[in-house]
Amino acid sequence: MIPYRPSAAGAVLAIIALALTAAPATAAPAQAVPREVVQAATVEPPPEVLDAMRRDLGLTREQVITRLGNEEQARRLQPKLRAKLKDRYAGSWVNQEGSLVVATTDAAAATAVTAAGAQAKVVARSLATLTSIKGALDTTAGQGALDAAAGKGAGRKVPVWFVDERANTVVVQALDTAAGEAFVAASGVDRAAVRIETITERPVTFQNLRGGDAYYISGGTRCSIGFPVTQGGTQGFVTAGHCGTPGLTTSGSGGQSQGTFQGSSFPGDDYSWVAVNSQWIARPAVNPYGTEMVPVFGSAEAPVGSAVCRSGSTTHWHCGTIQERNTSVTYSQGTIFQVVRTNVCAEPGDSGGPFISGYQAQGVTSGGSGNCSAGGTTFFQPVNEILNAYGLTLSTVSTQCAGHPNHHFNELTAHQGSFGNLIPDAGIYPPNGFASAGAGTHTACMDGSGTARMRLSLQKYTCCGPFGTPIWVEVATTGTGTTLKSLTTSQPAGTYRWVVSVSDSIVVPTTPIGEYYFLGTTSPA
């Protein structure tokens, strides 16, 4: 028998919960805009859009309607003016009322801009010039020239740069002025065209710790996260002892710094735990490499013969049964005692990954024999022993919604929209709907830390739109405002689906992107 030695080959990247935030704006006093633009702003927006813009932008209902109408006119007018100005075009934006402002390097062209219904601004540099400067900075960063000019690691001090069309310049945001100056100098661009700003924080992505995701030890070998845990105010995860020793560092997908091994025992035992930095959040979930997460409710020990499943970064999700407890197994490095033998397959890189029975954590993958093509035997180290050894607390789901036959556990995600916005995604369960053969009562319950901003709805399938596109009609909803959502509705026979959504039309600081929610549902057969 040999332990699973992780390998970097075939690594599966961990999923990033990205939240993009944007600072809310404060409305300025209304200003005169072209008459035809204001008259176009007569369409009532959806309630969710209206409410979110009133709340987050500090606008009145009338200002929201006017602004959306003006922005629609701006979207139509902007490409026409850009095409007309050609190399004299220097950028465009909308003001707080949504009216279009177009910059040009030609004072004579300003009259044509104004006549078309936009506001004109005459500037020194064309957008093509600014874009070229920004491109030179991109090239410098990609080639590592900044580190060469300002010393190793200097590139990390310049996290952001962009074209500021309103100011007709390129902005470099750096942690200190010297690093910003070195970056600009290394690129060889016109220093007068660049504004250097100092910032005190670095943009980071916040990543979820989930059982089964890959992690890398000291930048080399790969193992799998077992179960997220906490020790006091410190977050981390348990994993296999043979994956690392105290002091070794770990990284996540893309090489992002993650944590440090705090304790490890191997051989004799095969367990360890890693404390992570503030960019990582311990989630009570196992990644089954599907569309949803598996929640962790606790760590009650399952009897021999129980079904058990395992997640790992090499072979992902596999199941089998517990064959024997209190097993001793000898690897080339020595003997491991009191592990659990299973007929679940595993392969190198799956080491440290979670074993779970139902919603109860069982242990972390140690080693075994065979593979997931021909089958094999795998041993796991019981998780409760690890928790007791290091004084750790297992991250678990606490929910009031578990008393339903159907469970869904997932995180709120978003996708890239127009103008660089992130648009929240709806959670749909099940994706293709479920059939209810007769009339009856549908009930659902949803909770989670971010659910005050979410809605829970039941939709009914009706056929069909153009080209056979299915149409789903909302028949019941909870609205927003409370953390715990309950929905009960009587409906006729048909095909239905549950939908989790948020009131925000784009991602703003309070949108709960990355937050997990638990949904329990009961419906007629």
Side-chain angles (χ1 to χ4, degrees):
M1 311 288 280
I2 58 172
Y4 281 88
R5 286 293 185 187
S7 167
V12 178
L13 298 182
I15 297 175
I16 300 175
L18 177 64
L20 176 65
T21 60
T26 302
Q31 299 177 357
V33 294
R35 182 176 180 81
E36 64 273 19
V37 174
V38 174
Q39 289 180 337
T42 58
V43 178
E44 181 85 9
E48 295 84 1
V49 175
L50 179 61
D51 292 344
M53 290 186 67
R54 289 174 62 187
R55 178 192 65 232
D56 299 325
L57 299 183
L59 303 177
T60 65
R61 174 182 176 278
E62 291 72 22
Q63 287 172 327
V64 170
I65 294 173
T66 298
R67 178 166 179 161
L68 290 176
N70 290 347
E71 289 180 356
E72 177 60 29
Q73 291 287 341
R75 282 191 288 271
R76 297 176 182 177
L77 183 58
Q78 187 268 351
K80 296 177 182 179
L81 287 173
R82 180 169 188 166
K84 184 178 182 66
L85 293 174
K86 297 182 180 177
D87 59 355
R88 299 171 295 171
Y89 178 75
S92 59
W93 57 93
V94 295
N95 60 22
Q96 288 188 327
E97 286 75 46
S99 300
L100 181 65
V101 181
V102 175
T104 177
T105 56
D106 184 4
T111 301
V113 171
T114 303
Q119 300 176 27
K121 182 177 181 179
V122 180
V123 297
R125 305 177 188 91
S126 69
L127 182 61
T129 298
L130 295 175
T131 301
S132 177
I133 293 170
K134 198 265 183 178
L137 294 172
D138 291 344
T139 299
T140 299
Q143 294 175 344
L146 175 56
D147 283 358
K152 184 174 179 61
R156 299 187 185 94
K157 296 182 179 180
V158 187
V160 181
W161 55 96
F162 53 85
V163 172
D164 185 347
E165 296 181 23
R166 293 179 179 86
N168 195 233
T169 190
V170 173
V171 176
V172 170
Q173 293 184 330
L175 300 187
D176 61 66
T177 302
E181 293 287 0
F183 185 28
V184 174
S187 70
V189 301
D190 179 9
R191 177 63 181 84
V194 179
R195 183 175 78 247
I196 295 176
E197 298 178 347
T198 57
I199 57 176
T200 58
E201 70 283 342
R202 285 209 57 188
V204 298
T205 55
F206 291 98
Q207 303 208 41
N208 289 325
L209 291 175
R210 305 171 308 176
D213 285 346
Y215 73 94
Y216 300 84
I217 301 93
S218 296
T221 55
R222 169 171 58 87
C223 277
S224 300
I225 293 173
F227 292 97
V229 296
T230 58
Q231 187 188 73
T234 301
Q235 301 188 82
F237 60 89
V238 294
T239 188
H242 71 263
C243 288
T245 55
L248 289 180
T249 59
T250 68
S251 59
S253 61
Q256 182 170 343
S257 175
Q258 183 186 70
T260 305
F261 279 89
Q262 302 297 303
S264 179
S265 179
F266 179 79
D269 304 299
D270 194 4
Y271 55 67
S272 61
W273 87 281
V274 174
V276 299
N277 60 44
S278 60
Q279 296 177 29
W280 295 80
I281 301 174
R283 297 296 193 190
V286 169
N287 181 8
Y289 290 88
T291 58
E292 299 182 33
M293 298 296 106
V294 177
V296 179
F297 285 167
S299 57
E301 189 175 281
V304 170
S306 299
V308 67
C309 297
R310 178 199 56 75
S311 180
S313 59
T314 299
T315 60
H316 300 174
W317 186 249
H318 288 275
C319 300
T321 60
I322 295 175
Q323 295 179 311
E324 290 89 22
R325 289 190 171 274
N326 193 17
T327 301
S328 298
V329 56
T330 298
Y331 304 135
S332 59
Q333 300 93 332
T335 301
I336 309 300
F337 305 97
Q338 296 180 333
V339 293
V340 179
R341 182 175 180 267
T342 76
N343 61 2
V344 185
C345 71
E347 294 181 9
D350 291 328
S351 288
F355 270 81
I356 189 166
S357 181
Y359 300 132
Q360 299 293 321
Q362 298 299 307
V364 300
T365 301
S366 173
S369 59
N371 55 52
C372 288
S373 296
T377 297
T378 302
F379 303 90
F380 70 77
Q381 177 80 56
V383 68
N384 286 332
E385 183 179 354
I386 312 174
L387 301 177
N388 292 333
Y390 297 118
L392 304 172
T393 300
L394 183 69
S395 295
T396 58
V397 173
S398 177
T399 178
Q400 302 179 57
C401 301
H404 292 267
N406 304 308
H407 292 165
H408 305 282
F409 188 62
N410 223 337
E411 63 177 336
L412 190 68
T413 60
H415 65 275
Q416 189 73 47
S418 58
F419 303 104
N421 292 328
L422 284 177
I423 311 299
D425 298 320
I428 300 175
Y429 307 101
N432 297 321
F434 61 90
S436 178
T441 301
H442 300 259
T443 60
C445 177
M446 182 177 75
D447 64 6
S449 57
T451 54
R453 301 293 298 280
M454 301 183 194
R455 288 197 312 143
L456 172 61
S457 305
L458 182 67
Q459 294 182 346
K460 187 175 188 290
Y461 169 79
T462 61
C463 187
C464 289
F467 308 105
T469 303
I471 296 176
W472 295 87
V473 177
E474 186 176 281
V475 295
T477 187
T478 61
T480 60
T482 58
T483 301
L484 178 66
K485 312 289 184 183
S486 296
L487 182 61
T488 301
T489 177
S490 295
Q491 297 293 332
T495 300
Y496 296 87
R497 67 182 188 182
W498 297 98
V499 179
V500 175
S501 58
V502 295
S503 59
D504 301 345
S505 58
I506 63 174
V507 170
V508 295
T510 50
T511 306
I513 297 300
E515 292 290 354
Y516 278 90
Y517 56 87
F518 184 90
L519 172 64
T521 68
T522 303
S523 293

